[in-house]
Amino acid sequence: MVTVTLLKVEDLSISFGGLRAVSGFNLDLKPGELVGLIGPNGAGKTTVFNILTGFYQPQEGRIFFDGTEITGLGCHKINRLGIGRTFQNIRLFNELTVLENVKIAYQYAGRYSWGDAIFRTRVFHRHEKEITDWALSRLDIFNLAGKADEIAKNLPYGEQRRLEIARALAGRPRLLLLDEPAAGMNPQETVELLELIRWLRQEFSLTILLIEHDMSLVMKLCERILVLDYGMTIAEGSPEKIRNNPRVIEAYLGEEVS
Amino acid sequence: METEKTTGLESHTQAQTAEKWRKYLLPVGLLLLFLLNILIFMEKFGFNFVNRYYKGILILTFINIILAVSLNLINGITGLFSIGHAGFMAVGAYVSALLSINMGEWGFLPPQIQSIIEFPLVLILGGLAAAFAGLLIGVPTLRLRGDYLAIATLGFGEIIRVVALNLGITRGARGIPGIPNHTNFWWAQFFAVITVVIIWNIVRSNHGRAMAAIREDEMAAEAMGVNITYYKVLSFTIGAFFAGLAGGLFAHYLSYIAPRSFDVLKTIEILLMVVLGGLGSITGSVIAAVVLTALPEVLRFLQAYRMVIYAGTLVLLMIFRPQGLFGRAEVDLTVFQALKSRAAEKTKSQPGERGGNGDSA
Amino acid sequence: MSQLLQQLVNGLSLGSIYALIALGYTMVYGIIRLINFAHGDIYMVGAFVGYFALRGGLPLPFAFFLAMIIPALFGLVIEFFAYRPLRNAPRIAALITAIGVSLFLENLGILVLSPDPRPFPQVLPDKSIISYGDVNVSLTQFLMIVITLALMVLLTLFVHYTKTGKAMRAVSQDREAAQLMGININRIISVTFVIGSALAGAAGVLVGLYIPRIEPLMGVMYGLKAFVAAVIGGIGIIPGAMLGGVLMGLAETLVTGFLASTWRDAIAFGLLILILLIKPSGIFGTSSRTKV
C-alpha cells in the first residue's frame, strides 16, 4: 500500500554536552493524521519539536517535509514551507496587539517592498488590507476578533493559548506542532480546546503533532501515540495499545495512564 | 489574577487620559513648526526674528532628531542594543566632509545647478558610507545577543574613532577644518522631516512589525517565518544610514570635525534621548531630542552640572520610569485620518494615497 | 630579543591591572548578568583615594588598604540604590542604568576633582630590582605582579573554601535553586560587589604608582578594556578574567612597542570582536544554549 507521507523523520539524534536528549527518533506522519507525543518530563519531546522546526541542528538523522529534505534549514524557512508551532510556555509578542501578533505570522505572504512601505504606495495599502483582513478572519475563528487591539500580554491565560494557535495558523501551515496546548487550562477549557483542535484539523486539512501531559486529552484526541523516554521511542501505536503497554506504565510509574 | 485585572484597568484609564493630550500633540507641534518656518522665512524680507545663536540650536535639534529617531529604530523598535551610533555618525561626517572639500567642478553641469545638487548628494553619500559600515559591522555581530552586542557595537564605534585618529586623510587628532558650512535651517529641517517620515512608515509596515517581533521574542519570530538575520542587519544598516546623514549635516554645520566629536559620550547623549522619550516611540525620540538639545542652553548656569544631571536623570528614569516619557505611544493621527476621509468623500475618484503620516517635530 | 622580553614584562604588569579590574566585571556578570559599566569608575575612585591618602602622608600599605575599602563601599551603595531596584527589570534597563551610574561617577569626578590629570605621589623608589641584560623589572612592576597574584590566590581560596564563596558560585550557577537552598541572594550579591570593587580599587593605586598620572576619566578606557579581557577569558569565569587580563596587557604593549601607540585602543576592541566571532563564550567558556 502506498501512502503519501507529509513528514518523514529518520534516525534523529541530538546530544547536549554528553547527554543524549533524543536518540534514533523515527516518525512518519500521513496527511491529516493527529498524532500525540507523550513521555515523562525531560524525555526529549520539546527537543524533537525544536529540531523539526530548525532551532536545533540534529547531529544525526534526516527530516523530509512533503518530499523535500529540510534538515539543517533555517527556522523561518521551515516555517514558510508549512510547519507552524506553538510553545510550551506561551511565547507571544507580549507588548504588541493581538492583531499584530497574527499579522506578523502571515506577513511574508503579503509581500511589498521597502519602497512601497516608505512611499505608502497603492501596493502597500492593498497588501496591508489583505494582511489585516486575513488576520482578523483568523482571530474570528478563535473568538478573539473583539480583542484585536488589546495588548497580547493583557489577555487572560486561556485566550493567550488560543492566540498562540491562531498565530501559528496564520502562516497557513500544513503541519501544526502543538506543545502542551492544554497546559494550565481548567477542565472546561480543555474540553473546548479538544473540540477546537478536531475542528481545525477538518477545516484546514491540517496534520497535527501534539505534545501533551493531559492523558485523557491525548487518549481522546489522537489516533496514534508515540511515547518517548530518555530520548528514545519506547512505544508507538493506538491509544488502546499505549494504555496497556507495560513499558509505558513503567516509564510513567506512579503517574496515571488513563 | 484579581490584582492583575485592576492594574490592567488602571493602565487603561491612564491610557485614556494620555489619549486626550496625544490628540493635540501633532497639530500643536506642526503649528509651532509652521510658525517657526514663517519667522525664519521673513529673513528674506529683512526681518531677523531668530538670531544666529538660536538658529544654531534649531539646526542641532534637527540633527539630534535624526540621530535619536534612527537609534530608536535599532534599539527601541528592533530591540538590538547598539551603543556605537557615534561611530556611524563619524563615518558620515568624514566622508561627506572630505567629498565636499575635494569636490571640484563637475563640468557637465552648470556651477549653479551643481551647487544645489552637491550638498544633498554629498550627505547621501556620507549616509551610504555609514550604512556600508553598518552592514560590515552588522553581519558578523548581530548574531550576538543583548549585552554582547552592546559591547561589540561599542567596540566598533571606538575602532572607527581610532581609525579616524590614525589615517592620513582624516588628519588624525587635528581634525578637518574648513568644511563649507552648507547646513542651514532649511536643509536640517528637510532631512529631519524626511527621516522621521521614512522611519515612521517603515515601523508601520510589515517590515517594522517583523523588527518589533524580533524585539519581543526572537525565537517566536523565527518560528513565525520572520527572517531575523535579514531584519536585524537591515534595521542596523538603515539606522547607520541616517546616523551618517546626521553626521554630514553636523560636519557642514560646524565646519570642523575631529575624532573626539564622535566618542562614546556622543553615543550616550543620543541614547539618553531615546530612553527619555521611550524606547520604541518615535514621537518620544523627537520630543526628547528637542528637550535635551534646548534644555542645556536654557540652563546655561548649570553648565558645569550638565553631565551629572544627565547621568542622574538616566539612572532615576530607569528606576522610576523605565518606559521613558512616552513608552511606546505615538502621536494620534486620527485628526488627519478624519481630514483624509472627508477629502476622500469629496473627491471620490481620487482617494488620497498618502496621508496620515505627516509627522514631524 | 631583549626588547621583546622587556615588552613582555611591561605587558605582564599592565595585564595584571586589567586582570584585577576584569575580576570585578566577571564576578558581577556571573551573578546578576549585568555589565557593570560603573566598574571602571570604581577603579578611578580607588586611584583617587590612594592619591589623597598618600598626599595626606599615610604610609603606602595603609593607603592601599583605604583604596580597597572606600571603593568597596561605593560598590555596595551603587548596587543597593541603582541596581537592586532593577533586579527583575529587563536587562536593557539595567544596562542603561549601569551606563548612567558610570557617567554620573565620571562627571561627579570632573566636577569635584577637576578634569585635569594629577601626578600620583611617587612613594616607591624608581629602581629596578631584577635586571637581566637590557631587561629591567622595576620595583613597581614587581609589586604590581606580586600583589595581583596574591589577591587572586586569596580570591580563589575564598571562592572555593568559604561558605560565602561557595554560595557565590551556587548563585551564579542557578539563582533560583540557590535561593531555595536558603542562600540570602541579596547578601551574596552585595558581597560580590564589595569584593569586585575592592579589587578594582587596588588596581587603581597600582596604576597610579605605575603610570603616575590620574584623572576622573581614567576608568573609561581601562574599564572597557578590562571588560573585554573578561569576555576574552570567558565572562563569569574567574580564571578566565585573569588570563584575559594578562593577554590584553601583552597585546597592548606589543602593539604599542612594535606598531604605534595610537592604534592601541583599536587592538583591544579588535581582539574583542575576534573572540566574539570565533568563540563568544570566551577561552574558558562552555557554550550554553537558550532554553525554550
Side-chain angles (χ1 to χ4, degrees):
Chain A
M1 190 176 89
V2 184
T3 30
V4 196
T5 4
L6 184 67
L7 182 79
K8 188 171 182 61
V9 181
E10 290 174 352
D11 282 322
L12 212 60
S13 293
I14 193 169
S15 33
F16 303 131
L19 178 83
R20 216 153 162 81
V22 173
S23 151
F25 180 80
N26 285 291
L27 176 67
D28 273 352
L29 283 184
K30 291 174 206 65
E33 262 195 308
L34 213 170
V35 176
L37 188 60
I38 64 168
N41 280 323
K45 304 179 298 283
T46 297
T47 309
V48 168
F49 270 26
N50 284 337
I51 299 172
L52 293 182
T53 48
F55 283 108
Y56 296 162
Q57 300 306 324
Q59 277 129 2
E60 289 160 40
R62 303 171 77 182
I63 309 161
F64 298 87
F65 180 69
D66 203 16
T68 35
E69 176 156 11
I70 58 166
T71 330
L73 244 85
C75 263
H76 67 277
K77 286 189 184 145
I78 291 179
N79 171 266
R80 289 179 188 193
L81 284 173
I83 302 185
R85 76 172 286 183
T86 65
F87 295 90
Q88 190 178 342
N89 3 341
I90 306 173
R91 299 185 78 135
L92 291 170
F93 305 122
N94 276 326
E95 302 282 341
L96 303 182
T97 64
V98 169
L99 182 63
E100 281 169 330
N101 264 275
V102 180
K103 278 166 103 174
I104 286 164
Y106 177 63
Q107 62 182 3
Y108 65 85
R111 250 191 188 288
Y112 49 80
S113 70
W114 289 84
D116 288 323
I118 289 168
F119 298 110
R120 302 272 136 149
T121 60
R122 233 166 261 274
V123 180
F124 168 84
H125 286 290
R126 198 177 60 232
H127 282 266
E128 269 300 298
K129 185 169 174 345
E130 187 205 319
I131 295 173
T132 309
D133 291 347
W134 170 266
L136 282 171
S137 73
R138 295 307 91 169
L139 286 176
D140 214 21
I141 294 171
F142 291 86
N143 271 335
L144 288 167
K147 300 204 166 181
D149 290 328
E150 284 200 29
I151 299 296
K153 69 168 182 196
N154 294 340
L155 291 185
Y157 184 82
E159 290 185 350
Q160 289 196 13
R161 280 260 172 234
R162 293 217 301 271
L163 175 57
E164 233 204 348
I165 302 176
R167 187 181 64 172
L169 276 180
R172 303 187 205 240
R174 277 175 292 164
L175 171 62
L176 183 62
L177 309 179
L178 299 173
D179 198 343
E180 296 199 27
M185 285 190 172
N186 62 36
Q188 173 62 29
E189 287 171 325
T190 309
V191 171
E192 284 170 17
L193 182 78
L194 186 130
E195 294 302 321
L196 183 67
I197 293 175
R198 277 189 184 143
W199 182 81
L200 286 175
R201 174 165 69 143
Q202 284 299 317
E203 184 71 16
F204 300 104
S205 44
L206 286 170
T207 310
I208 297 176
L209 179 63
L210 137 144
I211 296 177
E212 190 46 70
H213 267 297
D214 186 328
M215 279 306 146
S216 64
L217 179 78
V218 179
M219 296 290 167
K220 275 184 212 147
L221 194 57
C222 301
E223 288 127 22
R224 190 151 62 93
I225 294 172
L226 267 80
V227 188
L228 275 187
D229 195 19
Y230 294 107
M232 297 211 269
T233 313
I234 56 167
E236 183 178 353
S238 65
E240 201 53 40
K241 262 170 69 186
I242 296 298
R243 208 192 307 261
N244 302 318
N245 186 316
R247 284 193 67 188
V248 178
I249 294 167
E250 190 190 336
Y252 271 94
L253 202 69
E255 289 187 47
E256 205 164 330
V257 195
S258 56
Chain B
M1 215 52 204
E2 201 53 41
T3 48
E4 213 154 11
K5 252 186 181 166
T6 46
T7 52
L9 274 174
E10 267 169 27
S11 69
H12 195 65
T13 48
Q14 260 179 9
Q16 274 177 336
T17 42
E19 209 82 329
K20 268 186 182 163
W21 62 264
R22 273 205 285 135
K23 220 169 216 164
Y24 300 106
L25 200 56
L26 185 57
V28 170
L30 286 180
L31 187 67
L32 286 177
L33 190 67
F34 180 67
L35 289 176
L36 194 64
N37 274 271
I38 290 178
L39 283 183
I40 291 180
F41 190 69
M42 292 304 268
E43 272 175 22
K44 302 261 187 234
F45 309 102
F47 300 100
N48 277 317
F49 293 114
V50 185
N51 68 25
R52 263 181 74 84
Y53 170 71
Y54 287 114
K55 251 195 285 176
I57 296 173
L58 289 172
I59 290 170
L60 283 178
T61 305
F62 286 127
I63 294 175
N64 282 335
I65 287 175
I66 300 177
L67 288 168
V69 171
S70 59
L71 185 65
N72 203 351
L73 181 72
I74 304 175
N75 285 19
I77 306 293
T78 322
L80 304 167
F81 198 53
S82 164
I83 37 179
H85 221 49
F88 299 126
M89 191 187 168
V91 172
Y94 272 100
V95 168
S96 62
L98 289 170
L99 283 173
S100 274
I101 288 172
N102 297 313
M103 197 175 284
E105 285 199 14
W106 298 347
F108 57 88
L109 279 177
Q112 301 95 305
I113 296 185
Q114 185 190 336
S115 69
I116 298 169
I117 301 175
E118 189 181 298
F119 182 50
L121 182 74
V122 155
L123 286 181
I124 288 167
L125 288 175
L128 287 177
F132 184 66
L135 189 69
L136 280 187
I137 293 168
V139 170
T141 48
L142 287 173
R143 58 196 181 92
L144 302 170
R145 272 156 211 273
D147 320 344
Y148 281 92
L149 177 66
I151 204 83
T153 51
L154 184 123
F156 268 120
E158 281 299 290
I159 288 176
I160 288 172
R161 196 176 59 81
V162 173
V163 168
L165 208 52
N166 280 284
L167 286 185
I169 190 167
T170 55
R171 293 168 42 91
R174 289 166 299 162
I176 300 178
I179 306 163
N181 54 347
H182 288 318
T183 305
N184 57 22
F185 173 84
W186 306 107
W187 279 123
Q189 173 178 259
F190 174 72
F191 281 109
V193 169
I194 292 276
T195 305
V196 172
V197 170
I198 289 181
I199 292 184
W200 178 278
N201 284 352
I202 288 176
V203 170
R204 269 147 201 77
S205 73
N206 61 4
H207 304 293
R209 280 196 299 271
M211 291 173 182
I214 293 171
R215 172 193 72 209
E216 291 299 314
D217 190 326
E218 224 171 86
M219 188 167 175
E222 259 186 305
M224 297 309 132
V226 174
N227 185 346
I228 59 170
T229 317
Y230 174 82
Y231 279 112
K232 279 181 172 184
V233 169
L234 264 160
S235 159
F236 206 64
T237 312
I238 295 170
F241 172 83
F242 287 109
L245 193 75
L249 285 168
F250 181 76
H252 291 81
Y253 164 65
L254 284 185
S255 296
Y256 169 76
I257 48 170
R260 66 175 169 280
S261 316
F262 310 103
D263 61 4
V264 189
L265 285 178
K266 183 72 203 176
T267 300
I268 288 174
E269 208 184 307
I270 309 166
L271 183 68
L272 179 59
M273 292 172 191
V274 175
V275 173
L276 179 70
L279 278 163
S281 166
I282 293 172
T283 310
S285 286
V286 171
I287 289 177
V290 173
V291 171
L292 286 183
T293 318
L295 205 60
E297 307 297 335
V298 179
L299 304 174
R300 279 209 92 83
F301 59 97
L302 286 175
Q303 192 61 20
Y305 301 88
R306 190 179 77 123
M307 284 313 287
V308 180
I309 295 171
Y310 266 30
T313 310
L314 196 58
V315 175
L316 293 177
L317 199 63
M318 278 299 111
I319 294 175
F320 295 108
R321 199 174 163 80
Q323 72 273 41
L325 294 177
F326 282 76
R328 293 212 177 93
E330 299 286 7
V331 286
D332 196 329
L333 294 179
T334 47
V335 183
F336 292 85
Q337 271 150 9
L339 284 178
K340 179 184 147 192
S341 55
R342 206 178 298 167
E345 263 170 42
K346 274 183 185 166
T347 52
K348 260 197 170 145
S349 56
Q350 194 73 352
E353 205 62 76
R354 286 175 51 99
N357 50 38
D359 173 50
S360 69
Chain C
M1 184 63 205
S2 64
Q3 200 203 341
L4 181 67
L5 270 179
Q6 184 64 53
Q7 295 294 0
L8 287 180
V9 170
N10 297 346
L12 207 58
S13 322
L14 187 63
S16 59
I17 298 292
Y18 287 138
L20 276 182
I21 308 173
L23 281 171
Y25 274 114
T26 239
M27 285 163 62
V28 166
Y29 194 91
I31 284 207
I32 55 172
R33 302 276 177 271
L34 167 73
I35 301 178
N36 179 13
F37 275 100
H39 191 62
D41 306 298
I42 294 284
Y43 146 89
M44 175 270 289
V45 170
F48 272 96
V49 171
Y51 169 84
F52 286 113
L54 290 173
R55 283 280 300 273
L58 291 178
L60 183 59
F62 196 63
F64 199 81
F65 180 69
L66 269 184
M68 288 179 76
I69 294 294
I70 292 176
L73 286 176
F74 269 74
L76 193 69
V77 169
I78 289 169
E79 193 277 322
F80 187 82
F81 285 107
Y83 300 153
R84 190 164 297 186
L86 290 165
R87 191 78 49 81
N88 298 315
R91 299 257 297 271
I92 198 161
L95 204 60
I96 293 171
T97 309
I99 293 174
V101 173
S102 164
L103 270 182
F104 185 76
L105 287 179
E106 283 156 18
N107 289 289
L108 199 65
I110 289 177
L111 204 63
V112 177
L113 305 164
S114 98
D116 307 318
R118 301 164 185 237
F120 199 83
Q122 290 307 291
V123 289
L124 291 175
D126 182 20
K127 63 172 186 188
S128 45
I129 57 165
I130 303 172
S131 287
Y132 179 78
D134 290 341
V135 183
N136 292 300
V137 180
S138 73
L139 178 61
T140 314
Q141 288 181 323
F142 180 75
L143 273 181
M144 281 163 81
I145 296 170
V146 168
I147 290 178
T148 301
L149 271 179
L151 288 172
M152 283 178 181
V153 170
L154 279 177
L155 179 68
T156 311
L157 292 177
F158 173 80
V159 168
H160 283 269
Y161 296 107
T162 64
K163 212 174 160 189
T164 311
K166 284 178 188 165
M168 274 169 68
R169 285 193 295 151
V171 175
S172 86
Q173 278 186 2
D174 188 335
R175 194 199 294 179
E176 272 157 38
Q179 198 155 20
L180 290 175
M181 301 306 288
I183 291 172
N184 181 345
I185 306 287
N186 282 336
R187 197 181 74 91
I188 295 301
I189 293 174
S190 296
V191 171
T192 309
F193 271 87
V194 163
I195 294 176
S197 305
L199 293 175
V205 178
L206 291 176
V207 131
L209 292 170
Y210 186 52
I211 311 262
R213 272 152 58 92
I214 60 169
E215 41 137 352
L217 293 183
M218 66 189 281
V220 181
M221 264 301 149
Y222 271 89
L224 285 178
K225 288 179 192 167
F227 176 74
V228 172
V231 173
I232 290 175
I235 190 113
I237 304 164
I238 289 177
M242 301 176 190
L243 179 73
V246 171
L247 284 180
M248 177 67 84
L250 287 173
E252 267 198 13
T253 40
L254 291 180
V255 168
T256 313
F258 296 104
L259 200 62
S261 64
T262 40
W263 282 105
R264 201 179 54 195
D265 295 349
I267 286 306
F269 292 107
L271 270 181
L272 168 76
I273 283 146
L274 201 68
I275 195 88
L276 286 180
L277 296 183
I278 301 169
K279 197 167 184 291
S281 52
I283 295 173
F284 286 155
T286 47
S287 63
S288 63
R289 198 172 294 275
T290 26
K291 198 162 161 54
V292 184

